[in-house]
Amino acid sequence: MPPQPRTQPKEAETDPALKPRALSSKGRRIAAEYLQRILTARVYDVARETPLEPARALSRRIGNHVLLKREDQQPVFSFKLRGAYNKMARLDAEALARGVICASAGNHAQGVALAARRLGSRAVVVMPVTTPKLKVDAVHALGGEVVLHGDSYSDAYAHALERQAREGLTFVHPFDDPDVIAGQGTVAMEILRQHQGPLDAVFVAIGGGGLASGVAAYVKALRPEVRVIGVQTVDSDAMIRSVRGGKRVTLGDVGLFADGTAVKQVGSETYRVVRELVDDFIAVDTDAACAAIKDVFLDTRSVLEPSGALAVAAIKQYAETHKLKGCTFVAVTSGANMNFDRLRFVAERAEVGEHREALFAITVPEERGSFKRFCELIGPRSVTEFNYRISDERVAHLFVGLSISRRDEAERIARHFARHGFESVNLTDDELAKEHVRHMVGGRSELAQDERLFRFEFPERPGALMRFLAAMHPGWNISLFHYRNQGADSGRVLVGLQVPAADGREFAGFLRSLAYPFVEETDNPVYRLFLR
């Protein structure tokens, strides 16, 4: 059963993490001002009221009641439609006849294109060249005229302003406009109507700040005891830096993995609203976002885009940091325009983000039996990755991934290896190792004499590798080993073995005795070009 929400609010004095900030008189005025705008916003000609769904598996795992506000289920798979339509529906007939222009990383672009089609207006959409093709194609399909320019939203924005002035179009800002903010605020209006019981906090992703401004304004106007927590990525945290620095800042570069929130500078109006009304901020990293995408998939069988999963990642981080249990949290799942090509990266990084995988560089003596001794030391723990190539006569360097259940296990495992004579380096938080080096372990080796190369299929169960090692003749040396858990029933393993020609018959018997499917690749031209 999922954790039950509290029937009475937790006393703020006993849990400072749940205590809302005191609103200033300025903050109260802003909330009241936007309340009227949100209540009269025109969004439902094209947008739909999205469900507020429990994330049951995630709730059980973290011991808090997590609700997902499913804005990924909008017609354009993002909340952005609300603000875009509310802005455009208020334009006069002359402005609509001239047409509109916007700059967007993708989701706002689709909202503007759909709104323009509904209102019979021309829509020019300037998008960064880094925008996923999925979003570009979606804008084309909705009738928008796409112009690709620059590497970030800010670059696209500057170009859109030039075209606006030149062509007499009306600019539809993705976040820094009161009508756009009010349209996004209808998300909070639905949340408070759909859930009228105890609610500790609403978590919302921040790019330029339009959604967070609208949500915070409505929540603080009606239920000021509920915390609103803004979420950004660690490499695109312009709002966090601006609020904490007391003025808007411009980032030199922004991370593009969560492209929907990759904004170098937040809006002046959104900054004014957010700094007065948002209670707290959290920055999450790429691994946490990937893990959150997996969490939502396991609960809903839906795939969010990275920006759409930031609020879920923040709930997990917030609950863990403050050791919170029994709370009720809402995450606005703000978008699902995910490029299919990114799924492999997401799946790979999710295990680290969920603290289910630790990565190590292990140094072992380059001698017969040391590889087997190391594997015995791993014991029943599941191996997620194993990369090795013979390169030195004295020591061997292994790149190893192991299953863990909590982040602090990684250091304990490293100490365990050291006590048994295997020097190790914990690479779990090393970006170079995770993104590049794990794919580069290998190459040619002058030491790989008499090497034969095989692809094996091992059953994905503890002990399969040890059975392989135990059956192998002690005179044969493993000179190459590559394995990565792919979540299938069988694992695909590449093994290089140094087998003297005189042992050919005995080696053939060894292969038959394993009963593991295999293919010899010793004559494969790829092997000879890059590894031999």
Side-chain angles (χ1 to χ4, degrees), residues 268-281:
S268 58
E269 176 65 4
T270 56
Y271 170 68
R272 181 180 81 97
V273 176
V274 167
R275 70 176 177 177
E276 293 293 336
L277 300 181
V278 171
D279 294 277
D280 201 359
F281 300 90

Side-chain angles (χ1 to χ4, degrees), residues 10 258 492 501:
K10 184 179 290 187
R492 287 165 173 77

Side-chain angles (χ1 to χ4, degrees), residues 80 91 108 112 165 174 182 191 197 235 251 264-265 267 288 296 308 371 374-375 403 438 467 485-486 493 524 528:
K80 287 285 191 175
L91 297 178
H108 177 63
V112 169
I191 290 172
D235 52 6
L251 302 180
K264 290 183 178 180
Q265 185 182 52
V296 175
F371 188 67
F374 174 72
C375 291
S403 291
R438 75 191 315 167
R467 178 187 168 195
N485 187 312
Q486 300 293 340
V493 184
N524 188 307
R528 293 186 172 275

Side-chain angles (χ1 to χ4, degrees), residues 60-371:
R60 282 193 298 269
R61 197 165 80 249
I62 71 171
N64 293 284
H65 190 52
V66 180
L67 300 169
L68 307 177
K69 179 57 175 166
R70 300 294 305 280
E71 284 300 289
D72 55 293
Q73 293 188 358
Q74 287 292 354
V76 294
F77 307 105
S78 162
F79 74 94
K80 287 285 191 175
L81 176 62
R82 296 175 184 262
Y85 188 81
N86 188 51
K87 169 67 176 180
M88 294 170 62
R90 296 175 182 279
L91 297 178
D92 58 35
E94 183 181 347
L96 285 174
R98 288 195 305 268
V100 299
I101 188 169
C102 73
S104 170
N107 290 338
H108 177 63
Q110 293 176 67
V112 169
L114 179 55
R117 188 173 71 179
R118 180 65 182 263
L119 295 166
S121 181
R122 175 194 178 202
V124 178
V125 179
V126 184
M127 309 177 82
V129 295
T130 53
T131 302
K133 186 175 183 295
L134 176 78
K135 296 180 181 181
V136 175
D137 291 345
V139 174
H140 278 302
L142 292 168
E145 302 173 26
V146 176
V147 177
L148 296 177
H149 183 88
D151 293 326
S152 70
Y153 165 76
S154 299
D155 299 328
Y157 174 66
H159 185 71
L161 290 181
E162 292 175 8
R163 288 199 59 163
Q164 175 205 11
R166 189 167 65 244
E167 301 180 28
L169 304 172
T170 298
F171 189 80
V172 182
H173 203 286
F175 50 82
D176 204 26
D177 183 293
D179 288 330
V180 171
I181 292 170
Q184 320 303 27
T186 58
V187 172
M189 183 173 67
E190 294 174 13
I191 290 172
L192 296 191
R193 183 168 62 242
Q194 292 165 325
H195 180 81
Q196 300 180 19
L199 178 57
D200 293 290
V202 177
F203 291 75
V204 55
I206 297 179
L211 178 62
S213 295
V215 168
Y218 192 86
V219 169
K220 292 305 179 181
L222 295 187
R223 294 192 60 181
E225 79 280 4
V226 176
R227 300 198 94 199
V228 177
I229 299 177
V231 190
Q232 296 197 286
T233 57
V234 294
D235 52 6
S236 295
D237 59 346
M239 183 66 83
I240 294 176
R241 295 192 190 194
S242 297
V243 171
R244 291 177 179 168
K247 64 179 181 180
R248 287 195 302 156
V249 302
T250 301
L251 302 180
D253 295 290
V254 291
L256 297 178
F257 175 65
D259 57 281
T261 52
V263 175
K264 290 183 178 180
Q265 185 182 52
V266 301
S268 58
E269 176 65 4
T270 56
Y271 170 68
R272 181 180 81 97
V273 176
V274 167
R275 70 176 177 177
E276 293 293 336
L277 300 181
V278 171
D279 294 277
D280 201 359
F281 300 90
I282 293 180
V284 300
D285 63 18
T286 294
D287 293 341
C290 291
I293 292 171
K294 181 177 179 180
D295 291 322
V296 175
F297 175 79
L298 293 176
D299 261 310
T300 69
R301 298 303 185 267
S302 299
V303 180
L304 299 180
E305 63 183 278
S307 297
L310 296 185
V312 176
I315 286 177
K316 294 164 60 184
Q317 186 169 309
Y318 194 75
E320 181 180 8
T321 300
H322 297 288
K323 298 180 170 43
L324 299 174
K325 298 293 181 183
C327 298
T328 299
F329 298 131
V330 169
V332 180
T333 56
S334 54
N337 288 295
M338 166 69 91
N339 252 22
F340 186 81
D341 296 343
R342 287 187 173 184
L343 293 177
R344 175 166 45 189
F345 176 87
V346 169
E348 186 172 273
R349 299 293 287 266
E351 294 303 292
V352 175
E354 192 50 58
H355 305 168
R356 292 175 179 166
E357 182 184 41
L359 301 176
F360 302 93
I362 308 293
T363 301
V364 303
E366 188 60 88
E367 59 189 26
R368 298 280 195 274
S370 61
F371 188 67

Side-chain angles (χ1 to χ4, degrees), residues 454-458 465 481-483 491-495:
F454 293 85
R455 284 190 292 117
F456 288 95
E457 286 192 19
F458 280 33
L465 175 59
F481 198 92
H482 176 263
Y483 160 77
R492 287 165 173 77
V493 184
L494 185 67
V495 183

Side-chain angles (χ1 to χ4, degrees), residues 14 26 48 59 145 274 459 461 495 520:
T14 64
K26 182 178 180 181
R48 58 172 295 223
S59 296
E145 302 173 26
V274 167
R461 60 171 181 264
V495 183
E520 183 165 6

